[in-house]
Amino acid sequence: MKAATTTTKALDLAAALAQYRAGLPALPDVELERRAAEVAALPGWYAGELRRMLDVERESRRTADRPVAPTGSRALRVAAGAVAAGTPAAVLAGRALAQYADQVPQVLRYSPAVAVGLVAAAAGASWAARWIDDRRHPLAVDVDEADLNPLGQELLAKVRAARQARGEAC
């Protein structure tokens, strides 16, 4: 009789956990955080399972919201940005130079200072683009495999399997 009661309890808990897990994706982020705060203080195995489910749901939302890096090289993106930003200024400067060309001394038109300024602007734009990219996508931090949660271990196993399928050494 004792075994039947334990089995029934386990089935009831499993059904309750499954029902709780099924309702998590429909919750807004605020409600998810509220539930996480409520469950954080509870003791016991059942509360631990609820915390784990909430952590998995929060992590899946966090990874789903990450922006996808655009395809193409960074040099092409920087060059396209420089062209897009510099085109209006070049057009306006060209019009002004054409309009007042006879009044500007020949020495100022092709001054070495202008060339140095253009090179400095290009180098500064490249530095700024790299700085912004490094802030948006920081370098990865090495983590010991034993410190990964079950979701991380599953992801690592999938990556390793995909690399082995392609013939890469892991």
Side-chain angles (χ1 to χ4, degrees):
M1 182 73 178
K2 178 86 171 157
T5 306
T6 305
T7 307
T8 305
K9 272 188 189 176
L11 290 176
D12 290 343
L13 288 175
L17 286 172
Q19 184 179 7
Y20 192 81
R21 182 182 308 121
L24 288 178
L27 294 176
D29 290 340
V30 174
E31 178 65 21
L32 189 68
E33 293 303 320
R34 187 187 66 75
R35 284 195 183 180
E38 287 176 353
V39 172
L42 297 176
W45 171 84
Y46 187 73
E49 288 298 312
L50 294 176
R51 281 191 293 274
R52 188 184 62 75
M53 278 190 264
L54 287 166
D55 289 343
V56 167
E57 179 64 26
R58 289 157 91 187
E59 184 64 27
S60 70
R61 289 183 186 193
R62 195 174 5 252
T63 57
D65 292 341
R66 288 190 181 147
V68 177
T71 57
S73 71
R74 182 168 52 186
L76 289 175
R77 292 192 310 259
V78 169
V83 167
T87 300
V91 168
L92 292 174
R95 286 184 182 167
L97 186 62
Q99 188 176 7
Y100 301 107
D102 55 342
Q103 299 172 3
V104 177
Q106 184 71 24
V107 177
L108 292 179
R109 285 191 207 158
Y110 304 106
S111 171
V114 173
V116 169
L118 290 174
V119 169
S126 173
W127 176 84
R130 187 176 305 115
W131 183 81
I132 290 169
D133 192 45
D134 288 346
R135 294 306 174 271
R136 287 182 60 211
H137 308 290
L139 296 174
V141 177
D142 287 339
V143 177
D144 190 20
E145 187 174 338
D147 293 338
L148 292 175
N149 63 12
L151 184 63
Q153 291 174 351
E154 180 183 339
L155 180 62
L156 183 62
K158 286 180 182 178
V159 169
R160 284 184 176 158
R163 284 184 176 175
Q164 285 179 350
R166 290 191 305 258
E168 295 179 22
C170 293

